[in-house]
Amino acid sequence: MTPQEEVERLIARVAMGDRAAFTKLYDRTSAKLFGVCLRVLNDRAEAEEVLQEVFVTVWNKADTYRVNGYSPMTWLITITRNRAVDRRRALKRPPEPIDTADLLPDGKPGPEASAVAASDARRITQCLDELPRARAHLVRRAYLDGDSYADLAEATGVNLNTIRTWLRRSLIALRECLSR
Amino acid sequence: MSDKTNPPEGPEEDEPRVLAAEYALGLLPNDERVAFEARMAEDQALRDEVAAWDATFAELIDDVEEVPPSPQLRKRLEARLFGARRPSIWQQVWPYAVGGIAAAVVLWFAATSGVLVTDDEAVRADLVAELAATPDGDGLDLRANVDTTRGAVQVLRSAGDPPEGRVFELWLIAGNNAPVSLGLLDGDGDTVIDLPQDLLASLPGAVLAISDEPPGGSPTGAPTGAVRAAGPLTAS
């Protein structure tokens, strides 16, 4: 059984109210999901609070995730990431600054990025590496750190509308690359 | 800083796929998010587009370091999900009600064959209960002798103490009735408690149980702490 299949089987049993399966699911996935919370919130106590809410949701909603066509890990990661981002925004944490030197679009992926892309089977990283490095960085910040447009504008000192235009163009390019 | 941006310009303006990506990232300003959710509710293709972006972005999580949460978190979570409802007093005592009958038979044999002599002359037991420790009982060893003529119960404790800052309370559970408090056990040794007249008729076959409670006894009139020992009253 692949890890993916195992998580899927555990969620199916959790949906039937199986507490032992819930404990196993927690043991199998909590370190990964806690890492996600910690990355967004950068605060152990807040991250644990969010992780607890996530698993309460998992216990209560395990029977519904399939309806929306999510794989089990995508479902768990998406709930966790979105809850952590909601929490971060409620706390109004200021964004980490982004060095403006990093933002000058050089038009090409750096040689480093290309080497990484060659050894990385993930479509998202391959396609991000086709973007100018600074633009790819903004997409990563938006997803992994949960920065809003306002956060990214504050972090870079770039005008809000410019940031949005950059992001949208990057997303269009990503979408095009992903569908190739 | 406001989250408000000018409406997007250019050919991508009505590109629902870009809106789906912005939605998945949580980037849409509030009014646009609400409008997009309304569209999504009607449009399976849009929902699929969002799900596809969620799956794609989730691959980035491989780069995030795994960090185990503190071990207490799992306990807090399990307590929150599964520990909220303490099992009913009957769920807690019924195994002891069954097991107690066998013990009572042994006790009856011991009493009638003269092996056992009641050590308190004042209480002439016509009903007895062996109170077996529950999993929370932690080595408790208790026996109760009831003198229905005198209307008193004597509880003999040969082992086990209440947790720090708690006291033991004795309960009578007759049939399906709610537990009735009979009183608190003395700090150590034996306790004799007078029984209300109206309870005497319900004693045979009833279950005696011990819970731990705050000093002064249960504030609610019903057991609030864990049941630590229980057993049925049978004729001696």
PDB file of all heavy atoms in Angstrom, chain A residues 1-12 72:
ATOM      1  N   MET A   1       0.839  -1.193   0.000  1.00  0.00           N
ATOM      2  CA  MET A   1       0.000   0.000   0.000  1.00  0.00           C
ATOM      3  C   MET A   1       0.883   1.255   0.000  1.00  0.00           C
ATOM      4  O   MET A   1       1.796   1.373   0.801  1.00  0.00           O
ATOM      5  CB  MET A   1      -0.877  -0.039   1.261  1.00  0.00           C
ATOM      6  CG  MET A   1      -2.014   0.922   1.159  1.00  0.00           C
ATOM      7  SD  MET A   1      -3.238   0.813   2.487  1.00  0.00           S
ATOM      8  CE  MET A   1      -2.776  -0.600   3.455  1.00  0.00           C
ATOM      9  N   THR A   2       0.632   2.190  -0.904  1.00  0.00           N
ATOM     10  CA  THR A   2       1.398   3.443  -0.923  1.00  0.00           C
ATOM     11  C   THR A   2       0.949   4.309   0.258  1.00  0.00           C
ATOM     12  O   THR A   2      -0.154   4.113   0.799  1.00  0.00           O
ATOM     13  CB  THR A   2       1.139   4.237  -2.218  1.00  0.00           C
ATOM     14  OG1 THR A   2      -0.224   4.654  -2.219  1.00  0.00           O
ATOM     15  CG2 THR A   2       1.408   3.395  -3.454  1.00  0.00           C
ATOM     16  N   PRO A   3       1.792   5.281   0.672  1.00  0.00           N
ATOM     17  CA  PRO A   3       1.375   6.177   1.767  1.00  0.00           C
ATOM     18  C   PRO A   3       0.060   6.876   1.432  1.00  0.00           C
ATOM     19  O   PRO A   3      -0.795   7.071   2.297  1.00  0.00           O
ATOM     20  CB  PRO A   3       2.525   7.179   1.851  1.00  0.00           C
ATOM     21  CG  PRO A   3       3.696   6.522   1.215  1.00  0.00           C
ATOM     22  CD  PRO A   3       3.156   5.573   0.187  1.00  0.00           C
ATOM     23  N   GLN A   4      -0.087   7.252   0.171  1.00  0.00           N
ATOM     24  CA  GLN A   4      -1.314   7.912  -0.294  1.00  0.00           C
ATOM     25  C   GLN A   4      -2.530   7.013  -0.050  1.00  0.00           C
ATOM     26  O   GLN A   4      -3.551   7.465   0.483  1.00  0.00           O
ATOM     27  CB  GLN A   4      -1.157   8.210  -1.790  1.00  0.00           C
ATOM     28  CG  GLN A   4      -2.411   8.704  -2.490  1.00  0.00           C
ATOM     29  CD  GLN A   4      -2.475  10.223  -2.503  1.00  0.00           C
ATOM     30  OE1 GLN A   4      -1.584  10.884  -1.983  1.00  0.00           O
ATOM     31  NE2 GLN A   4      -3.528  10.772  -3.063  1.00  0.00           N
ATOM     32  N   GLU A   5      -2.405   5.743  -0.440  1.00  0.00           N
ATOM     33  CA  GLU A   5      -3.516   4.792  -0.252  1.00  0.00           C
ATOM     34  C   GLU A   5      -3.800   4.583   1.226  1.00  0.00           C
ATOM     35  O   GLU A   5      -4.946   4.443   1.640  1.00  0.00           O
ATOM     36  CB  GLU A   5      -3.185   3.439  -0.902  1.00  0.00           C
ATOM     37  CG  GLU A   5      -3.328   3.439  -2.415  1.00  0.00           C
ATOM     38  CD  GLU A   5      -2.676   2.206  -3.052  1.00  0.00           C
ATOM     39  OE1 GLU A   5      -1.944   1.471  -2.354  1.00  0.00           O
ATOM     40  OE2 GLU A   5      -2.904   1.995  -4.248  1.00  0.00           O
ATOM     41  N   GLU A   6      -2.712   4.565   2.023  1.00  0.00           N
ATOM     42  CA  GLU A   6      -2.929   4.343   3.447  1.00  0.00           C
ATOM     43  C   GLU A   6      -3.701   5.505   4.065  1.00  0.00           C
ATOM     44  O   GLU A   6      -4.650   5.303   4.827  1.00  0.00           O
ATOM     45  CB  GLU A   6      -1.608   4.141   4.180  1.00  0.00           C
ATOM     46  CG  GLU A   6      -1.910   3.633   5.580  1.00  0.00           C
ATOM     47  CD  GLU A   6      -0.702   3.529   6.482  1.00  0.00           C
ATOM     48  OE1 GLU A   6       0.402   3.911   6.055  1.00  0.00           O
ATOM     49  OE2 GLU A   6      -0.901   3.069   7.615  1.00  0.00           O
ATOM     50  N   VAL A   7      -3.291   6.741   3.735  1.00  0.00           N
ATOM     51  CA  VAL A   7      -3.992   7.916   4.262  1.00  0.00           C
ATOM     52  C   VAL A   7      -5.459   7.884   3.809  1.00  0.00           C
ATOM     53  O   VAL A   7      -6.372   8.161   4.588  1.00  0.00           O
ATOM     54  CB  VAL A   7      -3.293   9.221   3.814  1.00  0.00           C
ATOM     55  CG1 VAL A   7      -4.156  10.432   4.120  1.00  0.00           C
ATOM     56  CG2 VAL A   7      -1.938   9.354   4.496  1.00  0.00           C
ATOM     57  N   GLU A   8      -5.678   7.485   2.576  1.00  0.00           N
ATOM     58  CA  GLU A   8      -7.044   7.418   2.047  1.00  0.00           C
ATOM     59  C   GLU A   8      -7.890   6.403   2.831  1.00  0.00           C
ATOM     60  O   GLU A   8      -9.021   6.673   3.202  1.00  0.00           O
ATOM     61  CB  GLU A   8      -6.981   7.017   0.566  1.00  0.00           C
ATOM     62  CG  GLU A   8      -8.348   6.949  -0.076  1.00  0.00           C
ATOM     63  CD  GLU A   8      -8.326   7.476  -1.506  1.00  0.00           C
ATOM     64  OE1 GLU A   8      -7.248   7.452  -2.125  1.00  0.00           O
ATOM     65  OE2 GLU A   8      -9.391   7.910  -1.978  1.00  0.00           O
ATOM     66  N   ARG A   9      -7.273   5.251   3.095  1.00  0.00           N
ATOM     67  CA  ARG A   9      -7.981   4.202   3.835  1.00  0.00           C
ATOM     68  C   ARG A   9      -8.276   4.678   5.272  1.00  0.00           C
ATOM     69  O   ARG A   9      -9.354   4.460   5.806  1.00  0.00           O
ATOM     70  CB  ARG A   9      -7.106   2.945   3.870  1.00  0.00           C
ATOM     71  CG  ARG A   9      -7.793   1.687   4.358  1.00  0.00           C
ATOM     72  CD  ARG A   9      -6.809   0.525   4.348  1.00  0.00           C
ATOM     73  NE  ARG A   9      -5.588   0.864   5.078  1.00  0.00           N
ATOM     74  CZ  ARG A   9      -5.356   0.536   6.341  1.00  0.00           C
ATOM     75  NH1 ARG A   9      -6.234  -0.170   7.010  1.00  0.00           N
ATOM     76  NH2 ARG A   9      -4.244   0.901   6.959  1.00  0.00           N
ATOM     77  N   LEU A  10      -7.288   5.366   5.874  1.00  0.00           N
ATOM     78  CA  LEU A  10      -7.497   5.859   7.246  1.00  0.00           C
ATOM     79  C   LEU A  10      -8.627   6.886   7.284  1.00  0.00           C
ATOM     80  O   LEU A  10      -9.480   6.846   8.172  1.00  0.00           O
ATOM     81  CB  LEU A  10      -6.201   6.460   7.801  1.00  0.00           C
ATOM     82  CG  LEU A  10      -5.094   5.445   8.137  1.00  0.00           C
ATOM     83  CD1 LEU A  10      -3.799   6.170   8.510  1.00  0.00           C
ATOM     84  CD2 LEU A  10      -5.525   4.521   9.270  1.00  0.00           C
ATOM     85  N   ILE A  11      -8.650   7.801   6.306  1.00  0.00           N
ATOM     86  CA  ILE A  11      -9.718   8.814   6.297  1.00  0.00           C
ATOM     87  C   ILE A  11     -11.081   8.137   6.121  1.00  0.00           C
ATOM     88  O   ILE A  11     -12.058   8.531   6.761  1.00  0.00           O
ATOM     89  CB  ILE A  11      -9.482   9.872   5.190  1.00  0.00           C
ATOM     90  CG1 ILE A  11      -8.224  10.691   5.522  1.00  0.00           C
ATOM     91  CG2 ILE A  11     -10.682  10.812   5.062  1.00  0.00           C
ATOM     92  CD1 ILE A  11      -7.895  11.753   4.490  1.00  0.00           C
ATOM     93  N   ALA A  12     -11.129   7.103   5.280  1.00  0.00           N
ATOM     94  CA  ALA A  12     -12.400   6.393   5.089  1.00  0.00           C
ATOM     95  C   ALA A  12     -12.876   5.794   6.412  1.00  0.00           C
ATOM     96  O   ALA A  12     -14.064   5.821   6.738  1.00  0.00           O
ATOM     97  CB  ALA A  12     -12.233   5.299   4.036  1.00  0.00           C
ATOM     98  N   PRO A  72      -6.654  12.607  -0.810  1.00  0.00           N
ATOM     99  CA  PRO A  72      -6.637  12.766   0.653  1.00  0.00           C
ATOM    100  C   PRO A  72      -5.575  13.742   1.156  1.00  0.00           C
ATOM    101  O   PRO A  72      -5.865  14.575   2.004  1.00  0.00           O
ATOM    102  CB  PRO A  72      -6.373  11.356   1.180  1.00  0.00           C
ATOM    103  CG  PRO A  72      -6.064  10.513   0.008  1.00  0.00           C
ATOM    104  CD  PRO A  72      -6.536  11.204  -1.219  1.00  0.00           C
TER     105      PRO A  72
END
